[in-house]
Amino acid sequence: MVRVAVLVSGGGTNLQALLDAQKAGDISSGSISLVVSSRPGVYALERAAQNNVPAETLARKKFAAQEEFDQALLKLLEQYRIDVVVLAGFLTILGPEVIQRYPNRILNIHPALIPSFCGKGFYGLKVHEAALARGVKVTGATAHLVNEEADGGPILLQKAVEVAPDDTAETLQRRVMEQAEWSLLPQAVELVCRKEGPLPRREEN
Ligand code: GAR
């Protein structure tokens, strides 16, 4: 079985969608084996506990340098023998060492149709504020593989969502989640787990 870690920073509704999809059998090639939060006390940690998934907190600001954070994260992923990493509203940047250790095995959900409203500074509500400010009539969500460029990795799945004339960033965020993110992310996780399988383990010296 492919062991999946879900990295979160907030409410964890996408984590919940993954847990539900696993229960429903829509994710059958992987099993959610670890939740890592970049913030203590977030509701995503509660969701992990309710589902008996081990959870760890790793705050970027506790580490002096990106490399130290990356080493700590890699150690955790190693300890839990993780094969696939899912960024589900994770607001901390991953350094090159982590990305290179998991080639084609890290995926992210972004709440817009990439290449619109993506890259540095576009996260959470800011993405929807930018879409409303530009006046787009259609937005959506994108599940993509993670490489070293922010939101720049190969696209796996996308789904369009209509913008309503009276939308606020909050109502739009909710509709994009309900109509796109919560179904796209589990599908993308199943795809990657099925395609990549378990990560070849490094030989112990
Ligand atoms: C989701 O909308 C996700 O797409 C977004 O943060 C939210 C997290 O919600 N991610 C990004 O903006 C990444 N650039 P959740 O904690 O309820 O899943």
Side-chain angles (χ1 to χ4, degrees):
M1 183 59 84
V2 176
R3 292 171 61 83
V4 178
V6 184
L7 278 47
V8 296
S9 300
T13 65
N14 279 287
L15 167 65
Q16 189 66 53
L18 294 171
L19 292 164
D20 293 347
Q22 180 167 284
K23 261 190 215 128
D26 295 334
I27 295 178
S28 59
S29 305
S31 98
I32 300 165
S33 306
L34 173 66
V35 168
V36 179
S37 174
S38 67
R39 287 193 195 146
V42 295
Y43 193 64
L45 290 167
E46 184 63 32
R47 297 183 196 271
Q50 282 165 7
N51 287 273
N52 300 314
V53 177
E56 306 271 357
T57 301
L58 215 54
R60 171 66 183 84
K61 61 172 188 259
K62 292 251 162 98
F63 299 89
Q66 175 75 44
E67 292 74 29
E68 289 170 31
F69 171 82
D70 290 341
Q71 284 311 322
L73 178 59
L74 277 175
K75 202 172 151 196
L76 266 184
L77 298 176
E78 200 79 41
Q79 187 186 331
Y80 285 88
R81 304 189 318 281
I82 296 302
D83 303 300
V84 165
V85 176
V86 183
L87 310 185
F90 191 62
L91 299 181
T92 298
I93 299 287
L94 300 182
E97 266 207 73
V98 178
I99 291 168
Q100 284 155 22
R101 179 77 182 101
Y102 287 89
N104 300 321
R105 292 171 178 275
I106 308 178
L107 56 149
N108 180 43
I109 184 78
H110 183 74
L113 293 173
I114 290 174
S116 290
F117 312 117
C118 66
K120 207 168 181 285
F122 286 100
Y123 58 88
L125 273 180
K126 287 179 195 286
V127 177
H128 304 290
E129 283 163 5
L132 289 177
R134 186 62 186 83
V136 295
K137 304 303 175 208
V138 173
T139 183
T142 304
H144 65 94
L145 293 174
V146 172
N147 64 14
E148 287 175 37
E149 186 190 338
D151 295 327
I155 291 171
L156 296 167
L157 300 168
Q158 287 188 305
K159 190 156 184 277
V161 174
E162 286 193 16
V163 179
D166 57 349
D167 261 333
T168 62
E170 287 79 7
T171 60
L172 184 56
Q173 178 182 53
R174 183 75 191 179
R175 186 170 329 102
V176 168
M177 284 176 159
E178 284 175 357
Q179 294 185 8
E181 295 184 46
W182 298 340
S183 54
L184 280 191
L185 188 58
Q187 284 177 56
V189 169
E190 175 63 16
L191 276 177
V192 170
C193 289
R194 204 186 316 147
K195 176 157 188 285
E196 301 298 334
L199 182 68
R201 296 281 143 205
R202 274 194 291 226
E203 295 299 320
E204 299 287 336
N205 296 316

